[in-house]
Amino acid sequence: MRMTDLLYARAQMGLSLGFHIVFAAAGVALPVLMVLSDWKARRTGDADYVKLSQKLAKGTAILFAVGAVSGTMLSFELGLLWPEFMGRYGEVIGLPFSLEGVAFFTEAIFLGIYLYGRERVSPNLHLFSGVMVALSGAASAFFVTLVNVFMNDPSGFVATPEGPTNIQPLVAMFSPGWPYQTAHVLLSCYQASAFAMAGIHAFVLLRHPGAAFHRKALSVALPLACVTALLQPLVGDLSAKHVAKAQPVKLAAMEGHFETERGAPLRLGGVEVPKALSILAFGDPDAEVKGLNEFPRDTWPPVAKVHGAFQVMVGTGSLMALLALVTLVHRWRKKAWPSGPKMMRAWLVSGPLGLVALEAGWLVTEWGRQPWIVRGVMRTAEAVTPVPHLAAPFWTFTAVYLFLGAVVVSLLLSQVAGTLPGREAKHGEGGEAHVH
């Protein structure tokens, strides 16, 4: 298929968001893990938890810096690649963008205090600054997600050929479905990061079962990973029920459902579960579920892509929920977090699943909205820039992201390497950690 400028613009935006979302998610979640480690250090007096909070703070700083770069690039891309969208609807959704900027700068201020204020400010102020980093990161993700909610289910204005009128910024900011989508996104950030952290420390413990630092780090990551993995299916169910009512064509694409049916079955790998789709979508076994053939063909999203991404999201989410349940049962029965090789292998394998589910869920949201950039109001093709030759910026940005990704991986690996048995003493020379 020949790459048109529209496809290049979409590919560049997709690449940028796909890259940014990983570091943004970790930037939201790592401060929570950092604060939990700091709190444990103060409660137990254990220097390992101090060291862990320091490592997580450095990781947060790295990801914050890269996220700031990729986020700035995204803000330019919105205006340069999609000028019709920003020109027409910028005033409608400007409020959450502005509030996201406030949250970003708040996070930067308190991250500076946390990084450089250790043992220079009071212990309570230091811990408070960490809490504010966590809250500001969550607020930043919350406000950005509200923009996406608006694009999926626009409100707060009257559409006219000349543009939006009777604009109500607060109504637009809190478009229908905002509680479900924002909760779904925030949980996915915490879940993906906690699973990744658990996978890293499980890997080290498989090679060094006696590594006390990594066992304690795992005890910080596992509670967050397990709780979010079990909450996510519940929030996802609420989100899917809203999609069924507000965006039925997206639900039909997610499920690969073509014919309108009452008592619609759920099809899983060629197996039909009677009436299950009607129950999941509407809570009624005899509810009507609209099929794709109910809608004009030119309003269909790319069905195979949406359906495939949805299956990946649900499949990985189910595996993580199952592992979380098994882990919590072990914790309840043994009064300790699992440490045996079988469970460590399970957590190692599951480490990347949170990020896979995160990316797949984002693809479901974005592909499922097509062919619209603002659903039902403006098509993606209408919003793209008329400037030609978009292949050049696409490949340039690809090279930049590959470079940034390599730098981040190298920096994070060096942080982990400094905690491995045999290297701790070398990295710890020059002073011991002190507990507040």
Side-chain angles (χ1 to χ4, degrees):
M1 179 178 63
R2 187 176 67 88
M3 286 287 285
T4 63
D5 282 335
L6 173 60
L7 288 177
Y8 270 120
R10 289 184 61 192
Q12 183 174 329
M13 201 70 191
L15 173 70
S16 298
L17 283 167
F19 179 88
H20 178 72
I21 198 172
V22 173
F23 300 102
V28 169
L30 282 189
V32 173
L33 295 162
M34 174 185 79
V35 169
L36 289 173
S37 303
D38 211 343
W39 176 75
K40 277 200 166 189
R42 296 183 64 182
R43 189 168 62 88
T44 64
D46 192 326
D48 278 340
Y49 287 118
V50 176
K51 181 180 178 182
L52 178 60
S53 70
Q54 292 172 330
K55 291 290 183 182
L56 289 170
K58 289 179 181 178
T60 299
I62 293 168
L63 294 169
F64 181 84
V66 176
V69 173
S70 59
T72 302
M73 293 166 73
L74 269 170
S75 65
F76 279 105
E77 287 177 10
L78 273 173
L80 295 175
L81 294 178
W82 313 103
E84 293 299 319
F85 166 60
M86 292 304 295
R88 181 165 292 195
Y89 292 100
E91 60 181 322
V92 183
I93 56 170
L95 182 56
F97 276 131
S98 300
L99 292 173
E100 191 277 334
V102 173
F104 172 82
F105 286 113
T106 302
E107 183 180 6
I109 291 168
F110 283 103
L111 181 59
I113 295 172
Y114 190 88
L115 285 171
Y116 300 107
R118 189 183 293 270
E119 298 180 3
R120 293 182 175 87
V121 299
S122 70
N124 288 337
L125 177 57
H126 186 256
L127 185 63
F128 173 75
S129 66
V131 172
M132 288 303 297
V133 173
L135 291 176
S136 300
S140 183
F142 175 80
F143 290 126
V144 167
T145 304
L146 289 180
V147 177
N148 192 261
V149 175
F150 169 84
M151 296 167 71
N152 289 328
D153 204 356
S155 64
F157 67 97
V158 175
T160 69
E162 292 74 31
T165 61
N166 298 332
I167 296 170
Q168 302 175 67
L170 284 175
V171 175
M173 186 167 78
F174 293 103
S175 292
W178 72 266
Y180 315 117
Q181 191 170 334
T182 55
H184 201 45
V185 166
L186 287 171
L187 279 175
S188 68
C189 292
Y190 300 129
Q191 182 179 356
S193 301
F195 265 79
M197 179 175 167
I200 290 169
H201 294 293
F203 171 75
V204 176
L205 287 169
L206 281 169
R207 300 182 64 184
H208 307 282
F213 171 83
H214 293 276
R215 195 168 303 283
K216 292 167 188 174
L218 193 64
S219 74
V220 172
L222 286 182
L224 185 62
C226 291
V227 170
T228 53
L230 293 176
L231 285 176
Q232 190 65 286
L234 303 177
V235 175
D237 177 66
L238 294 174
S239 182
K241 283 181 166 60
H242 174 75
V243 169
K245 295 176 181 177
Q247 304 172 64
V249 67
K250 178 187 284 189
L251 178 76
M254 287 160 55
E255 298 291 350
H257 187 68
F258 285 86
E259 301 299 332
T260 299
E261 297 178 72
R262 288 193 175 275
L266 185 67
R267 298 175 177 89
L268 298 170
V271 177
E272 288 192 358
V273 182
K275 301 191 176 186
L277 182 56
S278 290
I279 295 172
L280 289 174
F282 297 101
D284 179 356
D286 297 316
E288 179 181 271
V289 179
K290 292 184 178 180
L292 285 162
N293 291 331
E294 191 82 12
F295 305 93
R297 185 65 180 81
D298 67 347
T299 64
W300 288 17
V303 178
K305 292 179 180 180
V306 176
H307 181 64
F310 181 68
Q311 293 296 311
V312 170
M313 180 186 71
V314 172
T316 51
S318 299
L319 288 174
M320 288 186 285
L322 178 61
L323 178 58
L325 185 61
V326 171
T327 300
L328 288 176
V329 169
H330 183 285
R331 177 72 175 82
W332 176 66
R333 293 180 62 186
K334 304 290 186 180
K335 308 302 180 185
W337 293 107
S339 58
K342 288 184 178 179
M343 288 298 290
M344 292 301 96
R345 289 190 190 96
W347 276 100
L348 170 60
V349 172
S350 299
L353 293 186
L355 291 172
V356 172
L358 179 70
E359 293 282 8
W362 168 72
L363 289 173
V364 170
T365 298
E366 295 303 303
W367 279 339
R369 191 180 61 247
Q370 298 305 313
W372 309 98
I373 193 167
V374 181
R375 188 179 62 84
V377 179
M378 175 179 278
R379 289 178 179 259
T380 307
E382 298 170 348
V384 72
T385 178
V387 177
H389 311 303
L390 295 182
F394 170 77
W395 292 112
T396 301
F397 276 76
T398 299
V400 170
Y401 288 134
L402 287 173
F403 171 74
L404 285 175
V407 170
V408 169
V409 170
S410 174
L411 290 172
L412 293 180
L413 285 176
S414 70
Q415 291 296 310
V416 175
T419 66
L420 296 177
R423 300 190 187 186
E424 293 173 321
K426 187 180 295 185
H427 282 263
E429 290 174 1
E432 297 182 356
H434 298 282
V435 180
H436 293 315

